[in-house]
């Protein structure tokens, strides 16, 4: 099998790949992300492609598969990336409180034999959150490096009323679908 390279410094993506026993190395992309799309699914595919292409072009070996990924949270047409500060995180959480939203992850796999780009969408519903719950969660610092200002696999699990779709997509990588594409490649 070709050497798998994760074009991301995300500790969550790394943990997911390790959890399912894939052998890989990490080579984060440092490309400046340029968004030209408007639709969340198109945006994450565009960004995953940019990351994967950046890392693939830097490889000396030909026998590699580069995996690029990008995740965003979308609520009523608004993209919620990583919060800029505590106030931004609290505002995002207030927006999501008691509501349903979508989490999109775009994935690009590139090898010398070709490329695959796809996205996964998962619907997430939050219970209503009190101001104290929001403040306490933001003060935990957990939301600060996560799209939509929450980590479903962490302390925010208590806010989740339900999900429709792939749990791992919300964490940051739809690993079953990725594995399916890797087997095809």
């Amino acid at each position: 099998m070709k050497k798998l390279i994760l074009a991301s410094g995300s500790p969550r993506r790394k943990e997911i790949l390790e959890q399912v026993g894939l052998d890989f190395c990490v080579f984060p992309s440092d490309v400046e992300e340029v968004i030209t799309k408007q639709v969340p699914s198109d945006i994450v595919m565009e960004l995953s492609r940019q990351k994967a292409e950046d890392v693939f072009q830097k490889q000396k070996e030909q026998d590699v598969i580069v995996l690029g990924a990008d995740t965003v949270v979308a609520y009523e047409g608004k993209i919620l990336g990583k919060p800029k500060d505590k106030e931004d995180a609290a505002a995002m959480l207030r927006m999501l409180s008691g509501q349903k939203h979508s989490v999109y992850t775009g994935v690009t796999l590139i090898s010398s034999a070709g490329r695959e780009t796809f996205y996964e969408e998962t619907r997430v519903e939050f219970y209503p959150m009190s101001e104290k719950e929001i403040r306490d969660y933001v003060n935990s610092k957990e939301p600060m490096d996560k799209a939509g200002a929450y980590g479903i696999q962490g302390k925010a699990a208590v806010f989740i009323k339900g999900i429709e779709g792939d749990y791992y997509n919300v964490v940051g990588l739809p690993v079953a679908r990725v594995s399916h594409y890797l087997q095809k490649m």
Side-chain angles (χ1 to χ4, degrees):
M1 178 165 154
K2 297 179 184 230
K3 179 178 167 185
L4 178 62
I5 299 171
L6 175 61
S8 169
S10 164
R12 288 159 295 282
R13 291 190 183 111
K14 183 176 180 282
E15 287 170 13
I16 292 169
L17 292 175
E18 288 170 344
Q19 180 180 334
V20 297
L22 287 175
D23 188 27
F24 66 98
C25 62
V26 176
F27 190 110
S29 170
D30 58 5
V31 71
E32 184 175 333
E33 297 176 1
V34 178
I35 298 172
T36 64
K37 309 291 183 189
Q38 301 292 319
V39 177
S41 57
D42 294 340
I43 290 170
V44 293
M45 287 191 297
E46 178 177 47
L47 294 176
S48 74
R49 205 170 13 251
Q50 290 172 14
K51 293 173 186 180
E53 286 172 352
D54 173 55
V55 171
F56 186 74
Q57 290 170 2
K58 294 175 181 173
Q59 298 309 303
K60 307 262 188 277
E61 301 174 52
Q62 290 298 308
D63 208 25
V64 299
I65 298 175
V66 174
L67 187 166
D70 194 80
T71 302
V72 299
V73 171
Y75 174 68
E76 293 187 347
K78 182 174 172 58
I79 302 290
L80 307 178
K82 294 177 183 176
K84 297 185 237 18
D85 53 33
K86 285 183 170 187
E87 291 76 29
D88 193 32
M92 287 184 198
L93 292 166
R94 279 186 209 100
M95 194 182 306
L96 299 177
S97 176
Q99 303 297 317
K100 283 188 179 181
H101 62 276
S102 290
V103 178
Y104 294 88
T105 299
V107 176
T108 298
L109 296 162
I110 300 178
S111 74
S112 55
R115 70 179 60 209
E116 292 282 351
T117 299
F118 62 89
Y119 77 92
E120 189 76 31
E121 177 186 4
T122 303
R123 298 278 295 154
V124 180
E125 183 175 5
F126 269 33
Y127 281 108
M129 301 166 65
S130 71
E131 272 303 309
K132 181 181 181 339
E133 287 174 315
I134 291 171
R135 190 174 51 255
D136 289 349
Y137 183 58
V138 169
N139 286 335
S140 78
K141 297 188 174 110
E142 185 179 272
M144 300 316 295
D145 68 336
K146 294 168 183 67
Y150 76 93
I152 194 170
Q153 74 284 7
K155 294 176 176 121
V158 299
F159 307 132
I160 308 301
K161 186 171 185 179
I163 69 168
E164 300 167 25
D166 186 338
Y167 166 83
Y168 289 99
N169 183 55
V170 183
V171 178
L173 190 68
V175 70
R177 194 157 173 207
V178 167
S179 178
H180 174 77
Y181 277 99
L182 286 173
Q183 289 174 16
K184 285 181 17 181
M185 293 181 87

